[in-house]
Amino acid sequence: MQNFLFYLTGAIMIFCAIRAVTSPFIFRAALYLAATLALTAVQYVLMQAEFVAVVQLMVYVGAVIILIIFAVMLTAQLGEGNISQSNKLALPAFLVSGAFGFGLWKILSDYDWTKAVSIIPAPAPLTVAAAVTGTASAVTAAVSSTATVAATGITSTASAVAAATSVPLPSIVYNNVQSIGAALVSDYIYPFEIIGLLLFTALIGAVLIARKDGSQ
Amino acid sequence: MNLMSTLTLSVILFAVGIYGLLTRRNAVGLLMSTELMLNSVNLNLVAFNHYLHPEALTGQMFSLFTITVAAAEATVALALVVALFRARRSIMVEDINQLKW
């Protein structure tokens, strides 16, 4: 079922994306883009990233597409279909994007992704059911073995500290939204603040650029 | 449905975005192609998070920040488009040649 949904939404996404960049009407292209972005939210749900899916729907489909449609409406000449929306570079652009896409796909498919799993250190224990039944010596042995596998001093000391202060975690199963909320105000607090500043700056900049000259 | 199929979908979407970026004359169309490419990168990040390291939240965090940056970028770019249309009565990119000598 998940496989079927993945391939179905993937095929529709590719079709809508191609229509979004080739449609002669810019308004229809915006609607096709909206369909692509909404189906991306389906992909996120399939990959168990529910919060990202909801944010995708609200921010992309709800805000960015509305902004684009507003811009299409405000620039009145675009509503008509008699103006060509594409230049004459279709074949070279197809060759360039095809070559780029194929090269990228080749690189990605040649890489051994099982290697990438093993080199990532263990995550912060939000959902880890850590060592409730094991004895302390068994935990230490497991930590040292993983440390030798990882073969880096930093992760070994970090794991040792984590093992030394292994207070038994409460057996709450955090869901996606709770985990993201906790991470936003702990590990990612500086990017969170900076992104707020960026949004504020973009708001002021947009108002300043788009207003009429005479209206001080 | 595994990591490579999601990456393939993402690569196709990115290539389609590049095609749109190279062929559109309209500034709004260029912006839409850019959004498509950013979206495919987000798909990539969530896929890496889900298939390679499902306990971590790093990929989802990155894609949330990318979505926010894309929204800010769209706001400023569309303000530029509106200001440009007011000044030149056209937003076709080949008409914007004031700086061309």
Side-chain angles (χ1 to χ4, degrees):
Chain A
M1 184 61 198
Q2 283 202 347
N3 267 321
F4 173 72
L5 213 54
F6 172 80
Y7 287 113
L8 182 69
T9 53
I12 301 175
M13 270 170 81
I14 292 170
F15 171 75
C16 289
I18 290 173
R19 290 298 293 158
V21 297
T22 57
S23 172
F25 302 93
I26 203 75
F27 186 79
R28 286 185 202 173
L31 294 184
Y32 278 116
L33 182 69
T36 311
L37 299 177
L39 287 170
T40 311
V42 178
Q43 297 278 351
Y44 290 157
V45 172
L46 284 177
M47 289 189 284
Q48 291 157 12
E50 294 89 2
F51 185 69
V52 183
V54 173
V55 168
Q56 168 92 8
L57 280 180
M58 285 175 69
V59 175
Y60 261 129
V61 188
V64 173
I65 291 294
I66 297 296
L67 267 179
I68 287 176
I69 288 177
F70 258 93
V72 172
M73 298 285 188
L74 285 174
T75 51
Q77 57 161 353
L78 309 167
E80 294 111 45
N82 52 4
I83 304 168
S84 170
Q85 299 291 341
S86 303
N87 58 19
K88 303 286 195 298
L89 291 174
L91 184 64
F94 178 76
L95 289 179
V96 167
S97 59
F100 179 82
F102 181 75
L104 196 57
W105 181 81
K106 188 79 182 131
I107 291 171
L108 287 172
S109 61
D110 283 349
Y111 189 72
D112 183 17
W113 291 109
T114 55
K115 217 166 44 181
V117 178
S118 62
I119 59 173
I120 298 175
L126 254 187
T127 59
V128 172
V132 181
T133 59
T135 62
S137 62
V139 170
T140 325
V143 164
S144 60
S145 66
T146 49
T148 46
V149 168
T152 56
I154 296 170
T155 53
S156 70
T157 41
S159 325
V161 167
T165 62
S166 73
V167 185
L169 291 170
S171 62
I172 302 168
V173 178
Y174 284 93
N175 63 25
N176 186 246
V177 180
Q178 281 170 322
S179 312
I180 286 182
L184 263 185
V185 292
S186 59
D187 287 345
Y188 297 94
I189 182 71
Y190 292 120
F192 186 58
E193 298 286 342
I194 291 169
I195 215 87
L197 192 64
L198 174 75
L199 274 178
F200 184 59
T201 318
L203 183 68
I204 294 176
V207 171
L208 196 67
I209 290 169
R211 73 173 178 187
K212 285 185 178 142
D213 285 336
S215 64
Q216 293 297 325
Chain B
M1 184 184 171
N2 51 21
L3 177 64
M4 204 49 225
S5 53
T6 310
L7 290 188
T8 308
L9 175 64
S10 168
V11 164
I12 292 172
L13 289 180
F14 197 86
V16 169
I18 288 179
Y19 177 81
L21 205 60
L22 289 175
T23 54
R24 281 290 191 203
R25 294 171 65 217
N26 192 327
V28 180
L30 292 180
L31 182 73
M32 285 164 53
S33 305
T34 315
E35 297 292 335
L36 202 58
M37 288 159 72
L38 282 167
N39 190 53
S40 78
V41 172
N42 281 341
L43 197 62
N44 236 348
L45 291 171
V46 176
F48 281 133
N49 191 352
H50 177 62
Y51 291 109
L52 294 187
H53 215 72
E55 298 90 3
L57 284 170
T58 316
Q60 295 187 26
M61 279 300 170
F62 266 71
S63 64
L64 285 179
F65 290 134
T66 315
I67 288 173
T68 318
V69 171
E73 170 244 333
T75 316
V76 176
L78 291 174
L80 279 174
V81 165
V82 170
L84 199 62
F85 182 72
R86 218 177 258 145
R88 312 279 312 218
R89 310 310 297 174
S90 165
I91 58 168
M92 297 299 173
V93 284
E94 73 261 19
D95 291 341
I96 309 163
N97 51 9
Q98 258 176 331
L99 285 181
K100 205 153 97 179
W101 191 249

